[in-house]
Amino acid sequence: MDIRVLKTKADIAKACGEIFIEEINKKSDIVLGLATGATPLPTYEYLIDAYKNGRVSFKEVTSFNLDEYCDLARENENSYYSYMLNNFFNHVDMDKSRINIPDGNAKDAEKECAAYDKMIEDMGGIDIQLLGIGTNGHIGFNEPSDEFTDATFKVKLSDSTIESNSIYFPDGDMPRYALTMGIGSIMKAKKIILIATGAAKIDAVDKMVNGEVSPACPASILQNHDDVIIFLDEDAAAKINK
Ligand code: GLP
């Protein structure tokens, strides 16, 4: 693991954004795996600025998002579909036909998940996968469990995830299920960049980096990937830096 501890969220956004810009400028039809949550927002802002300054174009880029809530209208401001449009896609020159996000409202979730994996495979796999990490060590929505998941699947969200994410659903309508790429899908990405910021991630980061590789901390599997960069701010790195 290539662990890089930087001072501020802005420093991380710049360092991470520059990797994306360099890779996209090398391969204009790159396939990106994208993440939601609060953590990647500064990186998306950095990329939007770079696009506006003519440093990068997303015209030929294909994207696959990690996950989406089930039983939540796409138009709901808390769907990951809305998040991606509002925080990134609407501000750059992405071709909307190349944007892929699992359909959490699909009637047949199993079929939707299998079709999603097939689309990723048909595109030649993900070149760079961006990840955040949950306070319980989840990546995507792969919750701590007894075994590592494989391909895209429908997951029941854990109590800790519901607790962390319910701030976005003040009316109490927090979805209980989601579709998520599995650990196997994530590990197939050629390059992985994970960002963790803030003190709430201290324990998850410590287990991911120093703990045994175990489905009890899904992110620990990244120790087995041979091209992974972990960007941390000083708060999130507090335990591993000791
Ligand atoms: C969410 C998402 C993850 C994200 C994580 C952390 O539930 N499914 O993809 O990385 O939790 O979110 P945040 O960045 O808001 O802390």
Side-chain angles (χ1 to χ4, degrees):
M1 282 177 155
D2 174 355
I3 299 170
R4 305 184 190 179
V5 181
L6 302 181
K7 245 194 156 49
T8 65
K9 290 179 187 177
D11 294 334
I12 294 176
K14 182 174 181 198
C16 181
E18 288 299 334
I19 295 175
F20 275 96
I21 293 165
E22 193 184 328
E23 296 291 333
I24 296 166
N25 285 334
K26 267 197 276 184
K27 184 181 177 188
S28 56
D29 62 348
I30 200 165
V31 180
L32 300 180
L34 297 178
T36 52
T39 309
L41 287 174
T43 299
Y44 291 141
E45 278 166 28
Y46 189 89
L47 289 173
I48 292 167
D49 276 352
Y51 160 70
K52 287 186 175 154
N53 291 325
R55 295 188 58 217
V56 66
S57 166
F58 296 86
K59 247 195 181 97
E60 293 173 41
V61 170
T62 296
S63 68
F64 288 93
N65 262 78
L66 274 172
D67 46 17
E68 177 61 285
Y69 289 115
C70 291
D71 311 315
L72 188 67
R74 272 186 150 187
E75 296 67 33
N76 185 302
E77 59 171 349
N78 288 313
S79 75
Y80 286 163
Y81 177 83
S82 295
Y83 169 107
M84 289 307 300
L85 291 186
N86 295 336
N87 293 305
F88 188 46
F89 296 145
N90 281 346
H91 308 286
V92 295
D93 59 347
M94 276 293 289
D95 173 346
K96 298 276 187 309
S97 71
R98 295 183 207 267
I99 292 170
N100 300 286
I101 301 179
D103 178 2
N105 293 305
K107 280 208 175 66
D108 187 338
E110 217 169 293
K111 204 167 148 195
E112 168 67 14
C113 292
Y116 201 67
D117 289 328
K118 170 104 177 40
M119 276 195 292
I120 296 174
E121 203 184 307
D122 289 349
M123 287 305 301
I126 288 171
D127 291 302
I128 313 181
Q129 176 67 57
L130 182 62
L131 294 176
I133 183 171
T135 49
N136 63 2
H138 76 218
I139 46 177
F141 268 133
N142 291 275
E143 303 285 25
S145 77
D146 296 338
E147 50 186 20
F148 284 116
T149 58
D150 183 17
T152 303
F153 71 108
K154 181 171 179 173
V155 63
K156 186 175 190 325
L157 301 176
S158 70
D159 291 345
S160 95
T161 296
I162 290 169
E163 195 188 321
S164 301
N165 291 9
S166 56
I167 48 162
Y168 300 111
F169 298 90
D171 296 339
D173 54 352
M174 165 85 205
R176 290 330 199 224
Y177 288 87
L179 302 187
T180 181
M181 281 186 203
I183 292 293
S185 334
I186 293 169
M187 288 296 280
K188 276 188 201 154
K190 288 158 204 148
K191 183 180 195 70
I192 296 178
I193 300 177
L194 183 144
I195 306 175
T197 51
K201 304 291 170 69
I202 285 181
D203 289 325
V205 165
D206 182 42
K207 283 189 190 141
M208 164 176 70
V209 170
N210 294 323
E212 58 167 337
V213 175
S214 154
C217 175
S220 64
I221 192 80
L222 299 177
Q223 292 176 30
N224 292 345
H225 194 283
D226 61 10
D227 187 356
V228 51
I229 301 175
I230 312 274
F231 282 111
L232 305 173
D233 68 357
E234 290 177 346
D235 286 340
K239 223 167 172 176
I240 64 160
N241 261 352
K242 272 183 186 155

